[in-house]
Amino acid sequence: MGPFSILFLALLSTTTNGFVVEAENDGAFVEINEFDEVTLGNDLFTVTFNSNATAKSLHKNGVNILENIAEGMQTWYLDWNGERAYFTPSLVEIVRNTPEQAHVRFVQEANYERELMYIEFHMVVFSALSGIYQYIKLSNPTDLTVDFAEFRTVHRFDHALMPKVSNIIRSEATPDVSGRPLIQDTTWQLADGTYWSKYDLCGYIRETPWFGVYGGGFGGWIVSASREYHSAGPLKQELLVHQDSLMLNYFHSTHFGTPNLLVPPGWSKFFGPYLVYINTGSEEEVLADAANQALIEQSQWPYSWVEDEEYPLSRGSVSGRVTGQTKAMVVVYDAVEQQFDLQNLGYLFHAETNEDGTFAIENIRPGSYDVVAYPLAGHGSENLARKSITVEAGGTHNIGDLDLPEPANIIWAIGETSRRSDSYHWSDELRNYYWHLLPPANLTFEIGKSDIGNDWYYAQTKTPGIWKVTYEDERNGYGRILRVAFAAASRSASVTVAINGNDIGHFAYDNDATIYRDALQNGNFHSEVIAIPANYLADGSNTISFELLRGLIMYDAISLAVDE
């Protein structure tokens, strides 16, 4: 008999058909057998986990929807990619086992030989809900800094039964890529010449409250009432679903430009809860039901049933107003000396402003935060407004005004700033590797005649290549201010900016690995404000050029103003 069984025999009282059971359960239940397998469920489904917290089976309506998983593959597990990346629980405990709620946790103790992190992986089932709530408590009790590239849960289903996936934006069957040429990581060219990649199915994590796998009358979904515990900011993109009937819940990853998570000694964080939801019905019914369940979960956040001091039930709110450019994004995040859109150590909350610039953000954990506002329109791409605040449990904090001044004396502009390329050619297409192959190496955009939706492309991707902007101007004794905001920069992009043959700026950026991984609207943001001397201007026609020397660059907005 294994150590888990010994633990449970000490806790529980009866044995039935090889299972150690606390009581007869008509609703939710948790059991463990002599092989250290843990079974959770209710009258709607049952799932059995191996002793390492990987799933062995999940039965719904008499069907095992985890059957036919590829040999050697595991499913429904917690893992990460980084230093000493193992989840090896040495303890399992029943937290609660009543007909109303079954709750079990797997625990990994930290040590210096193999596992550096202390991890609690909790699973909770209620009597009348077809799904498992999961949450993770992660902490570093050692005196070492631990490096994480990824931290996630992975959920595979029977691909023959459930071949379709949905990230809300697209719901489809993934193609058979066996034997097809591999173009780059998990990206293939299909027989008809088109491309398919796992990155096709990425999405904005904070805009995706549900996603999953379905088919054969069944659906399996990740349903998240809140994304406060995920890394990065409002524009964080992430893998959600891809081939082999796989759905992923990434709490942290370096995808699309987010840096590694460097966990310092003494750090801890609470991830979740989120719901792994199982439903049945036609394809249309399971999709609609998943969307409806997301609304139900959001209405219940924060969950009153969580009993943990690291998950505060009493929370605060923050309100205020953005002035100047009133269309803005407001971000509240832990003041941990990280950039808000690259943060990964703490919690983050956000909201877009109303038409009058006002905003309110609810259910913020008590603590110290930085508040940042950035424009979603206009031409002040470099603008950030900041304040530091303390949020108290049950408190309402009005922070007053956050000013985003709109630049004056604009002569012309290509697009408006939003940290996305969303007004340019192909930026609104469905993600695919194909798009970044299409923009021309060279183009000329004529102010007043060319159209940004057709004649300016979401990304400049070919080297050597020069994109030119021509416009009419006159020497009036004043210089000019050129604002160039890049929505992404990939493969160590390098670009030189010139006016009428005079170099006015050279910019190089680290690889955010976004454009060639199907991102069409953003990666890591960069804003440049360039002063143009008056003597560089010409009476009549002027030309500003963007020469791509290396890599790929994505545009947010460009504008020219008089420097008075």
Side-chain angles (χ1 to χ4, degrees), residues 374-375 377-383 412 414-424 456-460 467 481-489 495 497 507 509 521-530 546 553-560:
Y374 62 85
H379 308 296
S381 53
E382 76 277 20
N383 285 345
W412 55 260
I414 300 176
E416 294 188 52
T417 188
S418 64
R419 300 194 169 216
R420 299 194 191 204
S421 67
D422 53 7
S423 58
Y424 305 132
W456 194 265
Y457 299 82
Y458 80 101
Q460 188 175 359
W467 286 13
I481 297 294
L482 178 67
R483 288 178 170 84
V484 185
F486 298 113
V495 60
V497 185
F507 308 102
Y509 306 107
Q521 294 203 355
N522 78 282
N524 285 347
F525 180 74
H526 307 278
S527 177
E528 309 295 346
V529 180
I530 305 168
F546 301 89
I553 203 85
M554 185 185 293
Y555 289 91
D556 168 41
I558 307 170
S559 66
L560 187 73

Side-chain angles (χ1 to χ4, degrees), residues 175-195:
D176 181 4
V177 297
S178 56
R180 300 310 308 161
L182 184 67
I183 304 301
Q184 62 178 14
D185 67 301
T186 327
T187 302
W188 295 268
Q189 187 168 29
L190 304 180
D192 62 0
T194 61
Y195 299 91

Side-chain angles (χ1 to χ4, degrees), residues 122-317:
H122 290 251
M123 302 182 190
V124 181
V125 171
F126 289 91
S127 60
L129 181 62
S130 181
I132 300 180
Y133 289 101
Q134 296 183 330
Y135 64 89
I136 299 101
K137 296 176 65 175
L138 181 66
S139 62
N140 180 9
T142 74
D143 58 3
L144 302 175
T145 297
V146 183
D147 187 347
F148 280 73
E150 296 183 347
F151 182 51
R152 65 187 185 175
T153 56
V154 180
H155 305 261
R156 287 185 174 89
F157 294 87
D158 184 339
H159 182 67
L161 176 67
M162 303 165 64
K164 293 189 174 182
V165 296
S166 177
N167 66 358
I168 300 179
I169 301 299
R170 58 205 299 177
S171 301
E172 60 194 37
T174 56
D176 181 4
V177 297
S178 56
R180 300 310 308 161
L182 184 67
I183 304 301
Q184 62 178 14
D185 67 301
T186 327
T187 302
W188 295 268
Q189 187 168 29
L190 304 180
D192 62 0
T194 61
Y195 299 91
W196 189 86
S197 170
K198 68 180 181 181
Y199 299 110
D200 293 357
L201 297 164
C202 289
Y204 290 96
I205 191 72
R206 297 176 191 273
E207 298 175 8
T208 312
W210 59 273
F211 58 89
V213 177
Y214 65 103
F218 296 90
W221 314 95
I222 296 291
V223 181
S224 298
S226 171
R227 297 290 195 177
E228 64 186 38
Y229 44 86
H230 290 267
S231 289
L235 292 180
K236 172 61 177 176
Q237 301 163 81
E238 194 49 87
L239 294 169
L240 302 168
V241 289
H242 58 82
Q243 81 274 19
D244 299 328
S245 299
L246 181 65
M247 64 184 186
L248 303 155
N249 197 11
Y250 270 97
F251 313 114
H252 168 78
S253 83
T254 56
H255 297 134
F256 300 103
T258 305
N260 278 26
L261 173 59
L262 301 177
V263 177
W267 174 91
S268 65
K269 190 171 179 180
F270 192 105
F271 298 86
Y274 56 92
L275 174 65
V276 186
Y277 184 56
I278 307 300
N279 60 4
T280 58
S282 68
E283 292 183 358
E284 294 79 10
E285 288 170 338
V286 295
L287 288 162
D289 182 49
N292 183 66
Q293 191 64 38
L295 296 176
I296 294 172
E297 300 304 320
Q298 290 168 348
S299 72
Q300 296 174 356
W301 187 268
Y303 295 120
S304 61
W305 51 265
V306 180
E307 299 174 352
D308 196 294
E309 62 182 10
E310 294 186 46
Y311 182 81
L313 298 179
S314 180
R315 301 187 171 208
S317 64

